[in-house]
């Protein structure tokens, strides 16, 4: 079970590291997943309370199992997003992105690079690049 929690935590860390730039949204699905997770964290508690209140006030007792199943499903949605992000953070970069990772690090003047970079290292590098370089590094 600790592996699951580590992956959820890594997904949260990865979500915080990933730069929110529109130019990256066309190349990576991370922006859409992060937006969905943030939306779920903000609005699902309201939806859960509303569905429980409406069931309590208006629903028949026979529908409680269905309502509880849907509540548990809604509670799991942000965790699914964090898990996906954690899994993505641990995934090794394909060769084309690995070369791009090396090129960006060379522009940043980094000497020691990870031999087999993951998406987590790419997120760190992109975050640094957006702070230190202009956006032309994306097109190179």
């Amino acid at each position: 079970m600790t592996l699951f929690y580590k992956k959820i935590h890594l997904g949260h860390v990865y979500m915080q590291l990933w730069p929110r730039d529109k130019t990256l949204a066309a190349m990576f699905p991370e922006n859409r997943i992060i937006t969905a997770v943030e939306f779920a964290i903000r609005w699902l508690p309201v939806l859960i309370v509303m569905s429980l209140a409406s069931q309590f006030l208006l629903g028949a007792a026979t529908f409680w199992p269905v309502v509880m199943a849907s509540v548990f499903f809604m509670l799991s949605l942000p965790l699914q997003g964090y898990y996906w992000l954690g899994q993505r953070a641990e995934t090794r970069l394909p060769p084309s992105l690995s070369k791009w990772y090396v090129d960006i690090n060379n522009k940043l003047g980094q000497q020691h690079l990870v031999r087999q970079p993951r998406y987590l290292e790419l997120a760190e590098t992109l975050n640094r690049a957006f702070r230190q370089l202009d956006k032309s590094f994306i097109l190179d």
Side-chain angles (χ1 to χ4, degrees):
M1 201 62 164
T2 60
L3 181 63
F4 178 74
Y5 292 124
K6 286 181 183 177
K7 189 132 343 202
I8 296 294
H9 178 69
L10 183 62
H12 181 71
V13 169
Y14 184 63
M15 185 172 103
Q16 300 301 321
L17 276 176
W18 188 261
R20 312 279 176 89
D21 192 77
K22 291 182 181 184
T23 54
L24 293 176
M27 296 185 282
F28 300 101
E30 275 79 355
N31 287 1
R32 292 185 300 267
I33 302 297
I34 290 170
T35 303
V37 168
E38 289 173 342
F39 180 83
I41 288 171
R42 173 173 281 172
W43 293 107
L44 281 180
V46 173
L47 185 62
I48 289 169
V49 168
M50 286 176 35
S51 65
L52 287 173
S54 65
Q55 173 61 26
F56 183 74
L57 295 173
L58 305 172
T62 56
F63 294 119
W64 272 106
V66 175
V67 170
M68 292 309 295
S70 65
V71 164
F72 288 132
F73 174 72
M74 286 186 274
L75 286 172
S76 76
L77 288 175
L79 293 176
Q80 291 177 37
Y82 282 136
Y83 186 83
W84 187 91
L85 289 168
Q87 186 69 27
R88 178 74 164 198
E90 290 180 335
T91 304
R92 301 271 178 229
L93 292 176
S96 60
L97 283 180
S98 184
K99 182 182 179 316
W100 190 49
Y101 165 80
V102 171
D103 291 344
I104 294 172
N105 274 307
N106 288 339
K107 289 178 185 177
L108 288 170
Q110 299 292 328
Q111 298 300 324
H112 56 287
L113 298 176
V114 177
R115 180 166 271 191
Q116 293 181 334
R118 304 173 299 169
Y119 278 93
L120 183 65
E121 286 86 21
L122 179 64
E124 292 169 347
T125 299
L126 287 173
N127 206 350
R128 254 185 282 127
F130 275 110
R131 281 188 272 120
Q132 295 177 7
L133 303 173
D134 60 348
K135 289 189 180 184
S136 66
F137 76 90
I138 294 175
L139 303 174
D140 292 342

